[in-house]
């Protein structure tokens, strides 16, 4: 059985690939910290290579309060995103499986509403 699974895996393209935004880490630098580091880098450039008196350059800014890293929005912290082939598989699942789920929910909602109406009629 394991040989068949290995054979099938080798025949299919990968369904996922590392997220290019977070490089597979699932987290990225928060915007606040990104701004902080950019400002520090600019001040360091002015201090040590900008031709200015290093004593006249303002001190480094205070670090932000929040977390340095936040969940990657593109992969939602998973570190992986669907490959183009994976997207096609997901589309197929959405079309067939989710349509059936929505149909089941609609039938359940209709039955629930009918029961509520019968209960309300019984109270009157």
């Amino acid at each position: 059985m394991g040989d068949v699974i290995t054979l099938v895996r080798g025949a299919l393209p990968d369904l996922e690939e590392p997220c290019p935004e977070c490089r597979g880490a699932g987290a990225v630098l928060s915007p606040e910290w990104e701004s902080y580091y950019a400002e520090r880098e600019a001040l360091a450039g002015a201090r040590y290579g900008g031709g200015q008196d290093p004593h006249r350059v303002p001190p480094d800014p205070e670090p932000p309060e929040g977390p340095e890293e936040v969940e990657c929005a593109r992969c939602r912290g998973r570190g992986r995103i669907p490959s183009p082939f994976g997207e096609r598989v997901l589309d197929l699942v959405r079309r067939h499986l989710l349509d059936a789920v929505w149909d089941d929910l609609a039938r359940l909602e209709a039955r629930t509403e009918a029961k509520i109406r019968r209960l309300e009629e019984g109270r009157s």
Side-chain angles (χ1 to χ4, degrees):
M1 181 71 141
D3 293 338
V4 172
I5 292 172
T6 303
L7 181 64
V8 169
R9 272 195 197 133
L12 292 175
D14 287 336
L15 296 173
E16 295 181 305
E17 55 193 31
C19 176
E21 191 73 27
C22 66
R23 295 186 182 102
V28 294
L29 197 59
S30 76
E32 295 83 12
W33 279 89
E34 202 169 310
S35 296
Y36 166 74
Y37 285 127
E39 189 176 344
R40 268 187 53 188
E41 191 173 313
L43 288 171
R47 192 174 289 128
Y48 301 111
Q52 295 183 21
D53 179 0
H55 301 292
R56 297 181 136 249
V57 176
D60 284 344
E62 289 293 317
E65 294 277 329
E68 191 168 354
E69 290 187 336
V70 294
E71 183 179 273
C72 177
R74 181 155 184 197
C75 67
R76 296 191 306 254
R78 293 183 183 104
R80 301 187 63 74
I81 59 170
S83 67
F85 182 72
E87 282 292 345
R88 291 178 58 201
V89 171
L90 286 172
D91 287 342
L92 178 77
V93 169
R94 285 183 194 115
R95 274 196 313 272
H96 295 278
L97 180 65
L98 292 181
D99 284 350
V101 169
W102 285 117
D103 290 345
D104 289 347
L105 286 173
R107 282 192 293 275
L108 178 63
E109 182 180 27
R111 285 196 315 255
T112 303
E113 288 174 355
K115 285 181 183 179
I116 290 171
R117 276 195 302 277
R118 283 194 304 271
L119 288 170
E120 289 173 346
E121 289 169 1
R123 288 185 190 155
S124 331

